Amino acid sequence: MIVAISNGRIPWPLGRIRGNSNRALIVYGALARAVRREANQAICFWWGVTAQTVSKWRKALGVFEQTKGDRAVRAEHGRRNWTKVGPKLLAKSQHPERRAKISAARTGNPRPKHVIEAMMLANTGRPLTASTKLKMSAAHKKRGSRPPWIGPAWTAEEDALHAKLPAGAIAKQTGRTTAAVYLRRRVLKRAASNNGKPYGMHAPTIDEMHADLHRSGWSVGEIAYDQGGRLIRQVDVRRDETWILAREHTQTGAWRGEALRATRTRPDARHDTNLPRP
């Protein structure tokens, strides 16, 4: 029953239970809404109660998390004192020993399902900045992960099959397509002519092509004839298409052509063996 009115900044009805002389504020209406939404300090100030009393009210009303008012008070307090405590907090958060302890505690512990769902919901459809993409790319390269649509990486055992089996047999044994086998052979051949380093998809420079010729025993612009005056060797450099073609007349009377460094500007250069004789 209501027995009196409080003398706080916001006057509020006081009640007591029959048979008990203790009086207390009756939690209903605006006071119940304030307990669910406002900061603890604000309720204490306006209704004239202690923080322990507000905590009991929150527990009775099922409020177990920070309210909107609590978060606002903490944010304002942080803004006022950031110049004093901010540098110390940042230095402590980046301390190697502290980060090592956190990493050891979290290693092997999967995230809860609701946390994963919340992260997916927050990141779905969000455009990534250029710096974020670079960080993600570096992390994946360090981890050794590969996009699922390009399939597994070629192993050393699979690469060794190229010297023993035809392309169809390799495709059947490794479970890959024939096109993937031929593409891998091209990469291996280019790596063999570049001291084990794949060229990638960039167009070779003239200096790189000259280095390839030197390793293969050719010289740029070389033309050689036999004693009968027949052309037996010619090295052609075409700068406009950035490719080099070396041709040699063999003892069997056939002409051998090899594109030492051919780019996609001349995909058929490797098979171009027609050389006009003088």
Side-chain angles (χ1 to χ4, degrees):
M1 64 174 64
I2 298 177
V3 294
I5 300 296
S6 68
N7 58 355
R9 291 179 173 81
I10 297 180
W12 202 257
L14 294 170
R16 66 179 178 85
I17 302 175
R18 293 182 183 276
N20 192 337
S21 60
N22 294 330
R23 300 185 299 177
L25 295 178
I26 302 175
V27 181
Y28 75 102
L31 179 56
R33 291 193 296 271
V35 171
R36 292 189 177 96
R37 293 185 299 186
E38 300 300 333
N40 192 309
Q41 299 90 324
I43 299 173
C44 295
F45 178 82
W46 290 106
W47 273 271
V49 294
T50 62
Q52 291 78 7
T53 301
V54 178
S55 298
K56 292 180 180 179
W57 289 347
R58 288 182 173 180
K59 186 176 181 180
L61 295 176
V63 181
F64 299 103
E65 298 180 355
Q66 287 187 350
T67 63
K68 183 177 180 180
D70 287 333
R71 292 192 292 270
V73 171
R74 291 172 64 90
E76 180 61 27
H77 180 74
R79 282 192 291 269
R80 288 201 306 266
N81 297 276
W82 180 252
T83 56
K84 298 180 181 178
V85 302
K88 296 180 180 179
L89 289 176
L90 291 177
K92 186 175 181 180
S93 64
Q94 300 297 326
H95 195 276
E97 183 178 355
R98 175 180 179 273
R99 299 176 67 176
K101 290 181 179 179
I102 295 175
S103 176
R106 292 184 177 181
T107 301
N109 297 326
R111 289 190 177 95
K113 185 177 180 181
H114 70 279
V115 174
I116 297 176
E117 293 176 351
M119 292 174 61
M120 292 177 61
L121 183 62
N123 293 317
T124 300
R126 186 183 69 176
L128 301 178
T129 61
S131 59
T132 302
K133 291 180 179 179
L134 290 176
K135 291 180 181 179
M136 293 174 64
S137 176
H140 280 291
K141 290 179 180 178
K142 184 178 179 180
R143 196 179 301 127
S145 57
R146 291 167 57 89
W149 57 84
I150 66 174
W154 286 83
T155 63
E157 292 77 9
E158 291 176 339
D159 287 340
L161 296 176
H162 290 276
K164 306 175 182 178
L165 301 176
I170 297 176
K172 185 177 181 179
Q173 184 170 339
T174 60
R176 305 174 187 272
T177 63
T178 308
V181 175
Y182 280 118
L183 180 61
R184 183 59 179 174
R185 284 189 172 182
R186 181 180 299 179
V187 173
L188 293 175
K189 187 173 182 180
R190 290 180 177 179
S193 63
N194 195 34
N195 294 333
K197 298 180 181 179
Y199 292 136
M201 297 305 294
H202 71 281
T205 63
I206 294 297
D207 294 336
E208 290 175 335
M209 292 189 290
H210 288 180
D212 283 340
L213 286 171
H214 180 73
R215 283 192 294 269
S216 302
W218 303 86
S219 60
V220 179
E222 176 185 356
I223 299 179
Y225 299 91
D226 61 6
Q227 294 181 355
R230 293 184 308 166
L231 178 65
I232 59 175
R233 178 180 294 182
Q234 177 175 337
V235 180
D236 186 18
V237 180
R238 303 187 184 182
R239 296 172 180 268
D240 56 337
E241 294 183 351
T242 318
W243 68 288
I244 288 183
L245 188 63
R247 305 180 181 91
E248 184 178 17
H249 189 269
T250 63
Q251 294 180 355
T252 61
W255 286 90
R256 176 178 65 87
E258 180 182 3
L260 298 178
R261 285 298 296 275
T263 67
R264 288 183 295 178
T265 58
R266 276 298 298 270
D268 59 334
R270 189 177 301 278
H271 308 288
D272 186 2
T273 60
N274 298 320
L275 179 66
R277 300 188 183 186

